[in-house]
Amino acid sequence: MPAAEQEVAGAAQAARGASLAVHEAGWASTRRLLHHIQRERGTSVAWVASRGSLPYFGERLLRTRKATDEALAEVRDEKLVLRVMRRRALIDADIAREEADPRALPALAAAPLDALREYNAIAEEIIAHDEALLLDDLSVEASPLVHALLIFTRLKDAVAMMRGFLTGMLALPEPALREIYSRAVAELVFILHRQWEYVSTLQAKTPRELLASLSAALQLKSDLLAEVQSRLVSDFDLTAVRSTLSVQKCWELYTAQVDGLQVVEVQLEARVRTEIAEAETQRVEASRALGDAALAIAAADGAGAMGVARRLASMPSAVIKSVLLARLAELGPGEAALRAGALLADGGALGERAEPAPAARDEPAPAAP
């Protein structure tokens, strides 16, 4: 590889490193935002369900909104900010609405579930953005560890969703719950199914040694919470739960569960970051090896070519392919078309044959079209 091309490759590698740092910081900000939105979802649903009559949730909602605003400022997504602000305005309007007109009961009763669903949609948008950052912008291979993190994140959101739902249904006055009972049960079935789906996926597709470190987090910590959820799974009787669990106790038990899941989630994130760093180190080494291969081929250096071949043979094929595609993308269309065949052909020869590279021809090479 000529010196000029080596400089270009080095600059491209440095630019990629800077880009990865930016995207990794964005990924961290997105995950922080998700946790705060999950908290805001639960406190908002309980607050609107109680029509602002539970100071315990009013105080937490103020703190949670402030934390969410700080996280939103880091992510810098104006559309998401507007969506959150619109939902907050609706919640505040629902709480301020007069109850004198009995015809307002259906709308007032439905307000907590409407808030829950909108926050669910916001959380889903953040999760999808988080997955795109991880898989696309950070160019991470979908390894078992990455797959486990993605599913675990969705499981944590489903548990936080149940926290918001059940706390809200307990905070709702009895007449209002009767008004929306069928819809509430349908929502309960949906959330329970999501939890079951994600737990089943983790258990079926996560390697045994990794699953062992997650298994404790998949169990409900509180016996009372386990009893309540078991009852809900068996008969979906929300009315019976109201006599067993207070609104505040429900919030505290589920928050302890969600916070425990977050501890495990952070540990998984750290392992994925290590995997990203190791993959990037392999990319750098593969890029250097391909550059050395080009030099050896150009100089008809058989021994050098075989040395590079041994280096490449020890690297994951996906890494080599990724670097090769990136190199081709840096070339102009005409030059890329010419080099693609040469690089792939010579790369295949280096990986398959043990003989030296062919000697250079005496006649001049034809000019490129």
Side-chain angles (χ1 to χ4, degrees), residues 8-31:
V8 170
Q13 190 63 48
R16 174 180 165 78
S19 177
L20 280 173
V22 170
H23 286 306
E24 192 167 346
W27 181 50
S29 298
T30 300
R31 297 189 74 78

Side-chain angles (χ1 to χ4, degrees), residues 9-353:
Q13 190 63 48
R16 174 180 165 78
S19 177
L20 280 173
V22 170
H23 286 306
E24 192 167 346
W27 181 50
S29 298
T30 300
R31 297 189 74 78
R32 278 194 296 275
L33 173 60
L34 177 62
H35 186 65
H36 291 307
I37 282 290
Q38 288 166 343
R39 279 183 173 271
E40 182 170 329
R41 170 176 53 195
T43 50
S44 296
V45 172
W47 183 240
V48 75
S50 70
R51 304 242 26 242
S53 65
L54 298 175
Y56 177 88
F57 290 99
E59 294 167 2
R60 277 160 178 74
L61 182 56
L62 288 176
R63 293 199 302 267
T64 301
R65 284 183 174 182
K66 182 180 178 181
T68 300
D69 289 342
E70 292 171 355
L72 281 168
E74 289 183 9
V75 173
R76 300 178 182 177
D77 186 328
E78 292 183 5
K79 290 183 179 179
L80 191 59
V81 171
L82 289 174
R83 191 171 185 181
V84 172
M85 295 304 162
R86 190 181 304 117
R87 171 38 57 188
R88 289 178 180 176
L90 289 172
I91 287 171
D92 295 342
D94 283 331
I95 290 175
R97 188 182 303 177
E98 291 293 335
E99 289 186 276
D101 185 355
R103 291 174 298 179
L105 180 60
L108 291 171
L113 288 182
D114 291 340
L116 179 73
R117 287 195 171 184
E118 176 61 15
Y119 272 108
N120 289 350
I122 292 171
E124 176 60 34
E125 182 178 337
I126 296 171
I127 290 172
H129 181 61
D130 169 75
E131 292 174 349
L133 277 171
L134 185 60
L135 296 175
D136 299 335
D137 291 342
L138 291 175
S139 302
V140 176
E141 296 293 329
S143 67
L145 179 60
V146 169
H147 184 268
L149 174 61
L150 296 179
I151 299 301
F152 195 87
T153 295
R154 288 186 172 275
L155 172 61
K156 178 194 164 214
D157 185 61
V159 175
M161 193 185 300
M162 174 62 88
R163 172 180 63 184
F165 167 79
L166 194 54
T167 304
M169 295 305 97
L170 293 176
L172 204 61
E174 188 75 36
L177 179 59
R178 287 198 300 269
E179 183 71 29
I180 60 161
Y181 196 81
S182 296
R183 183 180 168 192
V185 170
E187 194 71 27
L188 171 63
V189 171
F190 169 75
I191 296 171
L192 288 173
H193 177 74
R194 288 192 76 147
Q195 289 186 15
W196 173 83
E197 178 185 7
Y198 296 138
V199 170
S200 299
T201 302
L202 276 172
Q203 291 174 336
K205 296 187 177 181
T206 304
R208 185 175 301 175
E209 64 278 5
L210 179 56
L211 184 60
S213 65
L214 303 179
S215 57
L218 303 182
Q219 306 299 320
L220 289 172
K221 293 181 177 181
S222 163
D223 291 340
L224 176 57
L225 208 56
E227 178 187 340
V228 166
Q229 186 142 324
S230 176
R231 184 183 304 172
L232 289 172
V233 170
S234 63
D235 58 21
F236 309 116
D237 190 349
L238 289 167
T239 304
V241 173
R242 294 167 70 90
S243 62
T244 306
L245 198 59
S246 70
V247 182
Q248 183 173 330
K249 190 65 174 178
C250 178
W251 173 263
E252 290 172 350
L253 291 177
Y254 264 110
T255 295
Q257 185 71 27
V258 173
D259 288 349
L261 292 174
Q262 190 190 20
V263 170
V264 177
E265 185 181 43
V266 169
Q267 293 170 349
L268 284 173
E269 288 174 20
R271 294 178 64 176
V272 168
R273 290 179 194 280
T274 300
E275 193 170 85
I276 291 172
E278 291 174 350
E280 188 57 23
T281 299
Q282 291 178 333
R283 281 182 57 88
V284 171
E285 178 56 29
S287 181
R288 289 173 180 164
L290 288 173
D292 293 343
L295 287 172
I297 292 170
D301 179 3
M306 289 311 303
V308 173
R310 285 189 288 271
R311 286 162 59 192
L312 290 171
S314 66
M315 299 176 191
S317 59
V319 172
I320 299 172
K321 179 181 177 182
S322 173
V323 172
L324 188 54
L325 290 174
R327 284 286 187 89
L328 292 174
E330 293 164 11
L331 302 174
E335 190 176 2
L338 286 174
R339 297 257 186 117
L343 279 171
L344 289 171
D346 289 332
L350 286 172
E352 295 169 6
R353 292 203 304 263

